[in-house]
């Protein structure tokens, strides 16, 4: 059977920091100064500078001291006279440290190795002098307006001295400027303050106005939205009411439409019946009546034609009879005329020719009388068929 053997666990050994006798390691912000041994070279320093790594220091023969390279702070409060003769109390903060190069470390070590707390004091004194010097060449207005320019000028002026003692300035800030109760700075600020206050009031008024306008606009929008909502609700309610009324009237309307359709069908049937009855009446009454009227008109026309022919025939007969009567009476009329001449004293000239002329004249007079009687008969009215007026018959001439 296969099996595996477990190895024994070895006890872990704790590593202990062993402090080697005489070995020194500086902190990251420190410089280790080792003195006691002679350094080689003409420009060699009387001590050895070690930074960033450890070094073995021979006991009894060498001594190791530490120099801080950390950032430090110095505060300066100084009364300065301006170009205008005004006194200003200026407060400045300087951030400095020992330079990182060996020359700066060596310079600082020579001056401050015994008492490193003297660095801020010395730095403050150096900057106080430069501060008074530079402010004395400036006006209050320029100092207030150009504080960064003032700080840069002080730093530039102190670089040489600071480098000589192995220090480097990181920054300088003017923390406060006071005219010691004179009121000059306040007077300078008064117009600006008034302008700022005025601008602030104007800005506040504008903001209030815009706020009021925004509120009014919001109220108008709310009112408009409420109006539109009310209109929409009314429209919706009207549509709902209309739909309900339409639904309620659907039954009666359907019944009315059905009744109307029935009446329309009845009207069509009645119209068709009327048309049929009209056709029947035309066929049964009008057409026979028209035929009867046409027959009557034909009979009347035939009768009228017959009567006209009868009247014409009667008139012709009357004229013939009249002519015969006149002709029959004409000899008597001539005879009467001749007899009238018997007792007259008539002288006949030309003999037989003159007598013939008289006789011819009498005959001509007789013909004239006959023609006149004919014309008079023609002008008399002709009796119509069925009339009671008898034809005029000329009386016999005596």
């Amino acid at each position: 059977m296969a099996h595996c053997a477990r190895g024994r666990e070895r006890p872990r050994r704790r590593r202990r920091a062993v402090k080697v006798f005489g070995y020194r390691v500086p902190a990251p912000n420190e410089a280790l100064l080792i003195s006691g041994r002679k350094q080689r070279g003409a420009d060699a320093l009387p001590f050895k500078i070690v930074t960033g790594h450890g070094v073995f220091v021979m006991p009894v023969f060498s001594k190791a001291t530490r120099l801080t390279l950390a950032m430090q702070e110095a505060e300066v409060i100084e009364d300065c006279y301006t170009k205008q003769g005004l006194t200003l109390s200026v407060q400045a903060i300087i951030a400095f440290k020992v330079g990182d190069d060996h020359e700066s470390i060596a310079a600082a070590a020579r001056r401050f190795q015994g008492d490193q707390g003297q660095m801020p004091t010395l730095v403050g004194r150096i900057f106080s002098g430069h501060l008074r010097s530079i402010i004395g060449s400036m006006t209050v207005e320029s100092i207030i307006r150009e504080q960064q320019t003032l700080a840069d000028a002080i730093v530039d002026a102190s670089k040489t001295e600071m480098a000589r003692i192995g220090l480097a300035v990181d920054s300088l800030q003017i923390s406060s400027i006071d005219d010691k109760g004179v009121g000059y700075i306040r007077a300078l600020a008064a117009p600006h303050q008034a302008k700022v206050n005025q601008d602030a009031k104007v800005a506040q008024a504008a903001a209030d106005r815009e706020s009021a306008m925004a509120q009014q606009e919001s109220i108008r929008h709310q009112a408009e939205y409420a109006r539109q909502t009310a209109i929409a609700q009314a429209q919706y309610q009207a549509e709902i009411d209309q739909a309900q009324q339409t639904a309620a009237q659907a039954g009666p309307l359907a019944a009315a439409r059905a009744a109307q359709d029935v009446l329309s069908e009845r009207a069509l049937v009645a119209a068709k019946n009327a048309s049929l009855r009209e056709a029947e009446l035309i066929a049964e009454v009008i057409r026979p009546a028209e035929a009867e009227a046409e027959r009557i008109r034909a009979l009347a026309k035939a009768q009228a034609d017959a009567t006209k022919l009868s009247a014409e025939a009667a008139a012709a007969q009357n004229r013939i009879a009249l002519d015969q009567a006149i002709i029959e009476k004409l000899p008597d009329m001539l005879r009467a005329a001749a007899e009238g001449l018997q007792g007259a004293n008539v002288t006949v000239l030309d003999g037989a020719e003159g007598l013939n002329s008289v006789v011819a004249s009498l005959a001509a007079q007789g013909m004239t009388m006959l023609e006149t009687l004919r014309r008079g008969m023609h002008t008399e009215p002709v009796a119509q068929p069925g009339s009671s007026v008898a034809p005029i018959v000329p009386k016999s001439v005596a």
Side-chain angles (χ1 to χ4, degrees):
M1 182 177 63
H3 63 278
C4 61
R6 295 181 180 179
R8 296 180 180 179
E9 295 181 0
R10 297 180 180 179
R12 295 180 179 178
R13 296 179 180 179
R14 295 181 179 178
R15 293 182 179 179
R16 295 180 180 179
V18 180
K19 184 177 181 181
V20 179
F21 181 74
Y23 192 78
R24 300 290 184 269
V25 178
N29 57 351
E30 289 180 341
L32 190 63
L33 306 177
I34 303 172
S35 60
R37 295 182 65 180
K38 186 178 180 180
Q39 303 295 326
R40 296 178 182 180
D43 297 332
L45 296 173
F47 51 84
K48 182 179 180 180
I49 301 172
V50 178
T51 57
H53 59 87
V55 66
F56 182 78
V57 179
M58 183 69 66
V60 180
F61 298 100
S62 298
K63 183 180 178 180
T65 59
R66 298 175 185 272
L67 179 66
T68 180
L69 302 179
M71 181 66 65
Q72 300 184 61
E73 184 179 283
E75 184 177 8
V76 177
I77 300 176
E78 190 70 26
D79 292 338
C80 306
Y81 293 96
T82 65
K83 185 178 180 179
Q84 300 159 319
L86 298 174
T87 302
L88 297 179
S89 177
V90 180
Q91 183 178 1
I93 305 297
I94 304 101
F96 68 95
K97 64 182 291 296
V98 177
D100 295 329
D101 57 292
H102 285 191
E103 291 78 5
S104 298
I105 295 173
R110 290 190 183 102
R111 291 168 178 81
F112 305 109
Q113 182 62 30
D115 187 4
Q116 298 185 26
Q118 293 296 322
M119 288 187 205
T121 303
L122 181 59
V123 170
R125 290 175 182 176
I126 293 173
F127 275 88
S128 294
H130 291 292
L131 183 63
R132 287 193 303 269
S133 176
I134 294 174
I135 286 179
S137 63
M138 298 176 67
T139 62
V140 177
E141 291 81 1
S142 61
I143 292 170
I144 295 174
R145 290 195 301 267
E146 302 173 2
Q147 293 185 19
Q148 188 59 44
T149 303
L150 173 62
D152 294 340
I154 295 171
V155 171
D156 292 339
S158 63
K159 278 184 178 180
T160 303
E161 296 180 25
M162 295 292 287
R164 189 179 299 120
I165 61 177
L167 302 178
V169 178
D170 282 350
S171 67
L172 185 147
Q173 296 294 331
I174 305 297
S175 59
S176 67
I177 299 175
D178 186 18
D179 60 0
K180 301 179 68 96
V182 176
Y184 189 85
I185 297 176
R186 182 177 298 176
L188 290 176
H192 301 285
Q193 186 65 36
K195 183 66 169 60
V196 170
N197 293 335
Q198 182 180 1
D199 294 342
K201 291 180 180 179
V202 172
Q204 185 64 37
D208 295 340
R209 182 173 62 254
E210 291 179 359
S211 177
M213 293 175 62
Q215 291 179 357
Q216 294 177 0
E217 187 69 18
S218 176
I219 293 173
R220 285 196 296 269
H221 284 310
Q222 291 177 3
E224 179 65 20
Y225 181 77
R227 185 183 69 84
Q228 293 179 359
T229 302
I231 292 174
Q233 290 178 352
Q235 291 178 352
Y236 295 155
Q237 187 63 38
E239 291 178 359
I240 292 172
D241 295 341
Q242 183 178 2
Q244 292 177 351
Q245 292 179 0
T246 302
Q249 295 175 357
L253 286 174
R257 290 193 185 95
Q260 185 177 2
D261 295 339
V262 172
L263 292 176
S264 299
E265 293 296 330
R266 289 181 178 178
L268 292 175
V269 173
K272 291 182 179 179
N273 292 333
S275 299
L276 181 60
R277 183 57 183 165
E278 182 180 2
E280 292 177 352
L281 290 175
I282 291 173
E284 294 176 359
V285 177
I286 295 176
R287 292 291 183 257
E290 290 178 351
E292 182 64 20
E294 185 66 25
R295 186 182 66 80
I296 292 173
R297 282 195 298 271
L299 291 175
K301 183 177 180 182
Q303 186 176 0
D305 294 340
T307 303
K308 182 178 180 181
L309 293 174
S310 298
E312 291 178 353
Q317 292 178 1
N318 289 334
R319 286 194 299 272
I320 295 172
L322 180 59
D323 292 339
Q324 290 179 357
I326 292 173
I327 292 172
E328 290 177 357
K329 294 298 184 179
L330 185 59
D332 294 335
M333 292 171 61
L334 294 175
R335 189 179 299 111
E339 288 178 357
L341 293 175
Q342 288 180 2
N345 187 13
V346 179
T347 301
V348 178
L349 298 178
D350 296 332
E353 292 179 359
L355 183 60
N356 292 332
S357 298
V358 172
V359 174
S361 176
L362 290 175
Q365 290 180 359
M367 293 302 295
T368 301
M369 291 174 63
L370 179 60
E371 185 65 24
T372 300
L373 289 176
R374 286 180 178 177
R375 291 178 180 175
M377 290 299 297
H378 290 165
T379 58
E380 292 295 331
V382 179
Q384 296 296 329
S387 175
S388 59
V389 180
I392 299 174
V393 178
K395 296 181 180 180
S396 59
V397 180

